[in-house]
Amino acid sequence: MNKKHSLFLSLLTLGSSLFADSNVPKQALKTNGQLIYNEKPKEVDSLKSMLSEGIVYSRLRTNNFYFAYDHEDSGHQDSLVGSLGASFVYKSASLQGFDLTVGLYGSQAFFDPNEFDNNVKLLKAAKDTFSRYKYVQTGSKAIYSFAQANINYRYSKTDFTLGRQLVETFYTKSNDTKMIPNSFDGFVITSKDLSKTTTKIAYLAKQKLRDHENSHSVLMYDDSNPADYSYWRGNDDSAMHRGLSYTNLTAAGKSTDAPLIVFDLVNKSVHNLKINFSSYTVPSLLSQAMGELNYTIAFKGLSITPGIRYIQQFDNGGGAVGGASLKGDVNLANPGGYSDPNSLDAQMIAARIVTKIDDYKINLAFTDILDKADLVTPWRGFPTAGYTRSMGIYNWRANTKSYRLEVVKGANAKAVYIKPFIQASLLYVDTDESKSILEDSIYYYIGLVQNIPSMQELQYRVRLGYRDFIGDASVVSNYTDARLELNYLF
């Protein structure tokens, strides 16, 4: 344990040097992992120029994870995992409205499998630095993936994008906070032709999670061959519904390869009012709709923005297949605390008050998943995000109430943090233990992001979380989740 602490602390010192200011870099990295391209390809008039005058956006990164329990057992083992990786994203110039994007990503993980009995299933946050399926098949700790490969056509203020791409909506996110982003194979239309309105319609045939080299079904847990670790080939996201499995879907006569259809809208037509609406459907299984209002009240030197969010989930046949629980282990004979174990009808209500003073932001928020079914959103868009979601916390199981106080300092739209970006939060999660969910807990979090002033292309991130379970510590162990990331963009 002492060696683990010393190694993590030595990594932490890599981001300590501070120097003088320089020019804005070619690309910048936001705190949520999304990139801003400050230098963009231009319009050209020939195919040769379209390809030759494109731009390559390069990135070197290292991400390191230390996960430790207050006490270990056969199912909970401490781990220290490091990783090195790179990505190269090529964006062509635009020819008569057409352009191309190709992105190659790679990661090499480093860990001692003896620390956790060579059972990579026990790894938590670090699992996305390599492919677990590839590791158990070949022993390789490396992963390579074309996470982007698409063609785009722009007409007026509308983009039509076909192929593998990063899809940023309420329900789908690239969530590029590890080594490789979450991406989708499909067709997306993004439009800003309507005044003060952004709309996005997406037909997504496949998903490729961050720790996968190949694409897979958007909503199928692959239990077709457990002896061959098939469940690490399909959608094995932490928020995936395990009951919507190959076995259950096949037995019910449902498609194992249904698409995900998403509609997303942001409107700012009314002064100081931001309206968000989003919905998804997976045919013959389930659908969901989200509405959110945020109204800003400005005062001299500060602003206050109350916000509300409502989510309704509709069971279109998925409940009878997999049940009301994300664990996929409840039914009429074993309801597991659910009033209707065969229904995925669900609701969430949320409220927050955001206060901004200078470069400080204070966010006091509440979310309530009503006592029906769990919410199903395994595409890295989190239903409690912006309200009560903290690092590594999945708090959208049925009958779960969460309360969070968040304080942020140093946010900026350019995503170049010469002065440190600091985020700290305190989260209380009130769960329903009758549904075999973890006990009530308090989660403490602090994060730091900064670009080195004399080399703004280099950014370091430190994130620390500690979860304190309020019940019997011998049943559920408290844990520490520590992460250090370095990114060099060029």
Side-chain angles (χ1 to χ4, degrees):
M1 187 67 67
N2 290 333
K3 291 182 179 180
K4 295 177 183 178
H5 278 100
S6 63
L7 178 56
F8 184 80
L9 290 174
S10 66
L11 290 170
L12 192 62
T13 62
L14 293 176
S16 59
S17 300
L18 301 177
F19 303 98
D21 196 1
S22 64
N23 296 327
V24 175
K26 180 169 72 173
Q27 53 180 327
L29 184 60
K30 298 167 65 175
T31 57
N32 64 1
Q34 295 179 17
L35 287 166
I36 296 176
Y37 297 111
N38 295 313
E39 181 182 337
K40 298 180 181 180
K42 60 184 180 180
E43 295 185 5
V44 296
D45 56 9
S46 71
L47 180 60
K48 180 180 178 180
S49 297
M50 177 186 180
L51 299 176
S52 64
E53 297 189 29
I55 297 177
V56 176
Y57 303 91
S58 304
R59 179 179 185 178
L60 300 177
R61 67 201 298 185
T62 175
N63 220 335
N64 308 277
F65 303 84
Y66 174 55
F67 202 96
Y69 295 93
D70 282 6
H71 60 268
E72 298 178 280
D73 56 40
S74 59
H76 303 84
Q77 298 286 323
D78 296 352
S79 60
L80 177 64
V81 178
S83 61
L84 292 173
S87 63
F88 304 93
V89 177
Y90 168 78
K91 289 184 176 292
S92 75
S94 176
L95 174 63
Q96 296 183 358
F98 288 94
D99 62 82
L100 305 170
T101 297
V102 179
L104 174 62
Y105 299 76
S107 173
Q108 173 68 54
F110 302 92
F111 56 83
D112 179 3
N114 294 320
E115 287 188 343
F116 40 86
D117 302 326
N118 201 26
N119 185 358
V120 291
K121 186 178 181 180
L122 300 180
L123 291 179
K124 297 299 183 182
K127 74 178 184 64
D128 295 309
T129 60
F130 67 107
S131 166
R132 291 179 295 181
Y133 180 73
K134 185 178 180 180
Y135 176 76
V136 297
Q137 297 294 328
T138 68
S140 174
K141 301 175 185 177
I143 179 173
Y144 304 95
S145 173
F146 282 98
Q148 296 188 69
N150 60 74
I151 182 170
N152 181 78
Y153 175 69
R154 165 162 282 204
Y155 178 79
S156 184
K157 297 180 182 179
T158 299
D159 288 286
F160 304 84
T161 310
L162 177 65
R164 180 167 294 176
Q165 55 194 291
L166 310 183
V167 184
E168 308 293 354
T169 70
F170 176 76
Y171 288 110
T172 61
K173 298 289 186 184
S174 57
N175 196 217
D176 192 6
T177 59
K178 301 296 178 64
M179 300 298 285
I180 298 175
N182 178 47
S183 57
F184 297 86
D185 300 343
F187 180 58
V188 179
I189 302 173
T190 305
S191 179
K192 295 184 178 180
D193 277 309
L194 295 176
S195 176
K196 299 182 180 179
T197 302
T198 301
T199 58
K200 187 171 291 189
I201 302 173
Y203 180 94
L204 307 176
K206 295 281 189 179
Q207 180 182 12
K208 196 201 70 62
L209 280 164
R210 299 179 296 182
D211 56 343
H212 288 236
E213 288 190 327
N214 302 307
S215 60
H216 50 79
S217 172
V218 297
L219 196 63
M220 182 198 71
Y221 184 69
D222 191 352
D223 64 347
S224 60
N225 189 1
D228 192 48
Y229 302 93
S230 61
Y231 39 80
W232 286 336
R233 287 193 316 235
N235 192 330
D236 60 341
D237 186 78
S238 299
M240 177 57 190
H241 192 310
R242 266 44 177 181
L244 298 175
S245 63
Y246 174 87
T247 299
N248 291 346
L249 290 168
T250 302
K254 303 281 189 180
S255 172
T256 60
D257 208 21
L260 171 66
I261 303 168
V262 179
F263 174 75
D264 206 68
L265 178 146
V266 179
N267 178 273
K268 298 180 180 179
S269 297
V270 179
H271 182 61
N272 288 341
L273 177 65
K274 182 180 179 182
I275 302 171
N276 293 73
F277 176 82
S278 190
S279 66
Y280 81 75
T281 183
V282 179
S284 81
L285 291 177
L286 76 161
S287 55
Q288 199 175 110
M290 182 280 300
E292 182 175 359
L293 300 174
N294 287 277
Y295 185 76
T296 299
I297 305 168
F299 300 93
K300 185 176 181 180
L302 66 89
S303 68
I304 298 175
T305 304
I308 56 172
R309 177 184 293 170
Y310 176 76
I311 292 177
Q312 177 81 47
Q313 182 170 281
F314 304 92
D315 184 355
N316 301 325
V321 175
S325 171
L326 292 178
K327 296 177 68 177
D329 59 354
V330 300
N331 49 48
L332 290 176
N334 176 36
Y338 291 83
S339 57
D340 187 350
N342 285 345
S343 173
L344 274 171
D345 288 336
Q347 293 171 280
M348 184 191 91
I349 56 175
R352 68 181 180 184
I353 296 178
V354 178
T355 303
K356 292 184 178 180
I357 307 173
D358 295 327
D359 66 341
Y360 287 88
K361 182 183 77 171
I362 303 170
N363 184 354
L364 182 61
F366 162 77
T367 57
D368 182 9
I369 316 302
L370 302 190
D371 193 7
K372 293 185 176 182
D374 300 348
L375 296 179
V376 182
T377 58
W379 307 293
R380 309 311 296 169
F382 309 123
T384 58
Y387 286 74
T388 64
R389 210 265 171 172
S390 289
M391 183 178 74
I393 302 297
Y394 298 85
N395 55 341
W396 45 91
R397 304 287 298 273
N399 201 24
T400 297
K401 297 178 177 63
S402 302
Y403 312 81
R404 188 179 73 154
L405 172 63
E406 176 195 48
V407 179
V408 172
K409 184 183 187 302
N412 73 74
K414 294 182 179 179
V416 179
Y417 306 96
I418 302 302
K419 295 181 179 179
F421 170 90
I422 303 171
Q423 179 184 31
S425 63
L426 178 66
L427 169 67
Y428 174 70
V429 181
D430 181 3
T431 62
D432 186 345
E433 289 85 353
S434 70
K435 295 180 173 57
S436 300
I437 304 173
L438 294 174
E439 298 175 355
D440 297 353
S441 63
I442 299 176
Y443 188 75
Y444 307 88
Y445 172 81
I446 186 166
L448 173 67
V449 179
Q450 186 174 22
N451 294 68
I452 304 302
S454 65
M455 189 186 294
Q456 295 179 17
E457 297 85 357
L458 180 61
Q459 182 189 92
Y460 70 88
R461 299 171 176 230
V462 180
R463 295 186 288 171
L464 303 170
Y466 180 77
R467 193 169 189 180
D468 180 11
F469 291 98
I470 298 174
D472 186 352
S474 65
V475 177
V476 182
S477 175
N478 301 335
Y479 63 79
T480 298
D481 183 355
R483 311 179 188 185
L484 171 66
E485 180 180 358
L486 293 173
N487 286 275
Y488 180 69
L489 309 177
F490 59 101

